[in-house]
Amino acid sequence: KSDIWAIGVILYQLISQKRNPTPLHTICNNKTEMNKIKNELNKHILGPLVWDMLNVNPSKRPTANALLESLSIL
């Protein structure tokens, strides 16, 4: 599940196009900042999927199989 988080961070950085984004692990406990990230991601087709990948609770992150299934639908 940590690999899912890491891929989610990379995808978030690509979607947000920030050169030096604030590391997500430093703001994950800041609800206001996480809401900003969620709003930013909702503007992109992969946003909801990436949001799930960034869930603070590892057990709520999608599995690799679930990710592949979600991508095949797109």
Side-chain angles (χ1 to χ4, degrees):
K1 296 288 184 150
S2 62
D3 290 341
I4 299 297
W5 167 270
I7 294 168
V9 169
I10 292 167
L11 290 172
Y12 166 69
Q13 290 174 343
L14 290 170
I15 290 169
S16 67
Q17 298 179 355
K18 295 181 180 177
R19 290 179 182 244
N20 297 314
T22 304
L24 289 177
H25 63 274
T26 63
I27 60 173
C28 67
N29 290 324
N30 185 328
K31 198 170 197 169
T32 303
E33 288 299 315
M34 287 306 284
N35 282 336
K36 286 181 187 177
I37 290 171
K38 185 175 185 177
N39 289 336
E40 202 171 344
L41 287 173
N42 280 335
K43 298 175 187 174
H44 194 275
I45 191 168
L46 292 177
L49 184 60
V50 173
W51 178 252
D52 289 342
M53 294 168 75
L54 298 176
N55 197 307
V56 177
N57 184 344
S59 66
K60 293 186 178 181
R61 293 179 199 149
T63 63
N65 285 335
L67 287 175
L68 291 174
E69 288 176 21
S70 295
L71 291 173
S72 68
I73 294 170
L74 298 175

